[in-house]
Amino acid sequence: LREKLRYKDEIVLGIIFTLIGMTLLTSGIKLGLASLGGEVGAQLPRAFSSEEEFIDRVVINNFDKDLLYYTIEPDGTQKTYFNFSENGRIRPVEFHEELFDEASGKYEYIITRPPLFGSKLSVLGIILVLAFAFGMGYGATMAEPALSAMGMTVESITVGTIRRTQIVQVVSFGVGIGMVAGLCRILFDLPLVWLIVPSYILLIALTLISEEEFTSIAWDSGGVTTGPVTVPLVLAMGLSIGGELEISDGFGVLAL
């Protein structure tokens, strides 16, 4: 303890760079990952929505009903349209009598966005959303610095028997599956206990029949996934999806 500290300048410089790096990482998580997760979660429900999304209301003054024209569907249904010009683009808009005020001559045009895949293809939308969630969970875990560090440690201890890439790939795949399970819980309003309890029963059974060295690595691998990259991204996305679907409980994705 009485020895003088060696390489003081390098140690001080390392501490300074560490603080700068942690500050930049925290700022990036706050400004980037959390916002990205929130935006993705807010937009994903549109992929499987079977209803039109409200965008805006536009009041058209001095509306002239003489500009209306009619179309007929193959089943004989007639619809009324008018051409609406916006930013130099002309598009047909369906006319609704209840939105027209005869006294003032004003028509309230409600701008909506149609379902991404139509009302009959919501199942395809759900599949694509789950696939996207898997990709996000997989990619975020691949970028976790703690998981990469653990993989290098395990590879060194096992003398290359278990490689770093194997651990990273397997854990990332597992997190992707967990993301899919978490979104299924939100979309289909599944009780969290139905997903948590069977999983832990299976894990405990595997722990009892496996060797101690492998079980220790496996449980620690699950712990390092809740790092600075995965947590804000997954949590923000789950809460945003729950908010868009008007579900009060958007939590639970991270637990899975």
Side-chain angles (χ1 to χ4, degrees), residues 132-225:
F132 186 82
F134 174 85
M136 284 195 66
Y138 182 88
T141 309
M142 289 281 290
E144 278 292 350
L147 180 60
S148 181
M150 179 181 174
M152 289 188 292
T153 303
V154 172
E155 183 176 359
S156 176
I157 293 176
T158 60
V159 198
T161 303
I162 302 177
R163 299 187 178 276
R164 181 189 67 85
T165 54
Q166 293 175 330
I167 289 184
V168 173
Q169 292 284 348
V170 170
V171 174
S172 299
F173 184 84
V175 172
I177 295 297
M179 286 281 293
V180 172
L183 283 187
C184 286
R185 190 198 76 81
I186 295 176
L187 297 178
F188 304 111
D189 196 21
L190 300 176
L192 186 60
V193 67
W194 288 7
L195 301 174
I196 291 291
V197 173
S199 300
Y200 270 92
I201 291 176
L202 176 61
L203 292 175
I204 292 173
L206 292 175
T207 301
L208 294 175
I209 63 176
S210 301
E211 296 183 9
E212 184 73 19
E213 294 81 2
F214 296 109
T215 56
S216 300
I217 295 174
W219 284 102
D220 285 347
S221 298
V224 298
T225 57

Side-chain angles (χ1 to χ4, degrees), residues 20-76:
I20 294 175
M22 292 300 296
T23 302
L24 293 176
L25 177 63
T26 304
S27 301
I29 290 172
K30 182 178 180 180
L31 299 176
L33 286 179
S35 300
L36 175 62
E39 288 294 327
V40 170
Q43 296 299 325
L44 278 181
R46 181 173 170 254
F48 55 83
S49 175
S50 59
E51 299 179 356
E52 294 184 344
E53 178 186 0
F54 171 79
I55 302 298
D56 197 5
R57 296 176 185 268
V58 177
V59 177
I60 304 176
N61 297 310
N62 302 320
F63 188 85
D64 188 359
K65 296 183 70 173
D66 292 336
L67 298 176
L68 298 177
Y69 60 91
Y70 300 91
T71 62
I72 186 169
E73 303 289 333
D75 59 356

Side-chain angles (χ1 to χ4, degrees), residues 1-13:
L1 295 177
R2 295 182 179 179
E3 293 183 2
K4 292 184 178 180
L5 188 63
R6 303 172 63 184
Y7 311 112
K8 289 190 295 184
D9 53 344
E10 296 181 6
I11 293 175
V12 172
L13 191 62

